[in-house]
Amino acid sequence: MTSALPPVAESPAQSLMDLERDYLLQNYARYPLAVARGKGCYLYDLEGRRYLDLLSGIGVNALGHAHPRIVKVIRQQAGLLIHSSNLYYHQYQGPLAKRLAEMSGLARAFFANTGTEAIEGALKMVHSHGRGISPEKFEIVALDNSFHGRTLGALSVTGQAKYRQDFEPLIPGVKFVPVNDIPALEAAFSERTAGMLVELIQGEGGIYPLTAEYVAKARELADQFNALLVADETQCGVGRPGTYFAYQRSHPVVLPDVMVAAKPVACGIPLGFIMANERAAAAIRPGMHGTTFGGGALACRVALEFLNILDELLPAIQRVGGYFHVSLNDLARKHGFVKEVRGFGLMLGMELTMPGKQIVLDAMAAGLLINCTHDTVLRFLPPYIVTEKEVDQAIKILGKLFTKVK
């Protein structure tokens, strides 16, 4: 008589995955990785395996993981005040607004929780501005391939049908135009146009930068038709392009009327913001907009510390970003399935002639975290503390994987 074999115990990671499968909405196509901690440019899974993190929480962990100055500020502030509501003042929101105004060249700030929430506030600003001129002035010009968020308003101006189609009808009056097509842009504007949204470097759309000529024409048309030009810098701004904001890369600088950003500004603590000039800010009057959590003491204090560190890192972002771009191009020349390398600073994309999902999975198995956007574009959003050494490590891993591609 033989005894039954004991059941095989599930790994801690598999137990977590099973629990989420049973109790969470099944809206995320997660990678098979359960992370436990991070340090610098590296993440560690539950079994202690190390991964070079060149995705940084989709651009959120700008200083990597467990940065000592950020950890110190979080510990201090958590023992003092985390949240008080926007019914009262606290000592960090005003200084942060002043700092962002000086950095951006725009006059007034509104603090939200996410980039999507900031976009919603900007859309209300655009509609209120237009309505103040004429009830018929409500149209918005947006770009093909753009991505502005997952709420109904943000989806309405997102130029990818795959995100919109299950939720239509959405906000009316949105006109989508091709990226960098100036004649199409000119045809889209009219006296009914209240505003235009641009990502200076499209993220989810495949790391596509807008040309300086296109942005200048958008500014010219917005002025001609008394419309607000809105720059969505949620992914491409706050230091990532090697400048404070992506619109500052052009010379002369083309200043938007409204700018929204989020992701890296509080290093993982949720914080988004809207910056606006006085003309755009006047469209939001008392009682027209608000938030419960936006601009809390903890998030604002962390953001102030991050911006102090960012000033020290901007030259390195430009240097290492350029080195990474050159290294990716060197790798691309050796492999015919690489179509193009695009981006600026530490926001880079490598477009393939085939789907990139398997390369992402193989890279993860080899200890490198990246992702794929628009199906064929490998996306790199490293933390701002990345060095040439980590770039070389990533290129070495990718080089080995690329030689195995059939």
Side-chain angles (χ1 to χ4, degrees), residues 15-332:
S15 296
L16 283 177
M17 294 174 196
D18 291 344
L19 197 62
E20 292 202 3
R21 184 193 62 227
D22 292 342
Y23 292 100
L24 285 182
L25 285 178
Q26 296 301 291
N27 57 312
Y28 292 119
R30 296 194 199 273
Y31 297 122
L33 173 63
V35 296
R37 64 184 182 91
K39 185 68 175 176
C41 293
Y42 295 90
L43 274 173
Y44 296 81
D45 68 15
L46 295 180
E47 285 74 40
R49 288 185 291 265
R50 190 177 78 159
Y51 302 82
L52 175 57
D53 182 9
L54 295 193
L55 190 58
S56 60
I58 317 183
V60 169
N61 300 314
L63 300 181
H65 304 278
H67 190 284
R69 286 172 62 175
I70 297 300
V71 170
K72 180 180 179 181
V73 165
I74 290 173
R75 285 175 172 164
Q76 288 178 345
Q77 191 59 36
L80 296 172
L81 179 69
I82 294 175
H83 173 76
S84 61
S85 90
N86 283 302
L87 294 174
Y88 314 113
Y89 297 91
H90 63 71
Q91 64 195 101
Y92 302 111
Q93 199 171 121
L96 179 58
K98 180 176 184 289
R99 181 69 185 280
L100 291 171
E102 292 167 348
M103 289 167 53
S104 67
L106 297 169
R108 295 188 181 274
F110 173 86
F111 293 111
N113 303 286
T114 65
T116 301
E117 188 186 348
I119 281 288
E120 292 290 330
L123 290 176
K124 289 173 72 173
M125 196 173 283
V126 167
H127 271 260
S128 178
H129 167 79
R131 187 177 179 85
I133 299 168
S134 165
E136 301 301 315
K137 194 174 181 66
F138 63 88
E139 292 183 350
I140 296 174
V141 178
L143 298 183
D144 290 342
N145 280 335
S146 60
F147 182 85
H148 297 290
R150 304 266 186 182
T151 53
L152 291 177
L155 282 177
S156 299
V157 292
T158 289
Q160 299 186 57
K162 65 182 180 181
Y163 293 117
R164 299 196 314 269
Q165 59 193 11
D166 291 324
F167 306 102
E168 292 173 331
L170 296 168
I171 293 175
V174 179
K175 294 182 176 180
F176 293 103
V177 296
V179 173
N180 294 329
D181 185 334
I182 289 178
L185 179 62
E186 291 174 325
F189 268 80
S190 74
E191 295 297 339
R192 294 166 62 92
T193 304
M196 180 182 180
L197 274 71
V198 296
E199 295 169 273
L200 277 293
I201 309 171
Q202 292 188 331
E204 289 289 330
I207 318 298
Y208 278 103
L210 303 187
T211 65
E213 294 78 12
Y214 190 79
V215 177
K217 177 57 69 171
R219 176 71 274 171
E220 178 188 323
L221 290 166
D223 290 340
Q224 179 182 343
F225 290 100
N226 197 1
L228 299 182
L229 181 62
V230 180
D232 184 350
E233 301 249 354
T234 301
Q235 187 171 139
C236 66
V238 200
R240 187 155 293 283
T243 52
Y244 287 131
F245 302 105
Y247 63 81
Q248 294 168 336
R249 289 187 55 85
S250 62
H251 298 286
V253 170
V254 176
L255 195 66
D257 300 294
V258 183
M259 182 265 294
V260 304
K263 286 194 183 292
V265 72
C267 300
I269 305 296
L271 182 64
F273 60 89
I274 304 170
M275 298 302 300
N277 60 23
E278 294 287 7
R279 179 173 71 114
I284 298 297
R285 299 178 294 280
M288 290 178 67
H289 196 53
T291 177
T292 295
F293 290 101
L298 176 65
C300 287
R301 184 175 175 187
V302 170
L304 282 165
E305 184 67 10
F306 163 69
L307 294 178
N308 288 335
I309 298 169
L310 177 61
D311 284 341
E312 303 165 13
L313 288 176
L314 280 177
I317 292 171
Q318 296 173 16
R319 185 191 75 247
V320 179
Y323 181 80
F324 199 0
H325 202 148
V326 169
S327 300
L328 288 172
N329 271 315
D330 288 344
L331 184 61

Side-chain angles (χ1 to χ4, degrees), residues 390-404:
E390 286 86 31
V391 170
D392 289 344
Q393 181 184 348
I395 294 295
K396 183 177 180 180
I397 292 172
L398 290 172
K400 289 181 178 179
L401 296 178
F402 284 10
T403 60
K404 300 176 182 178

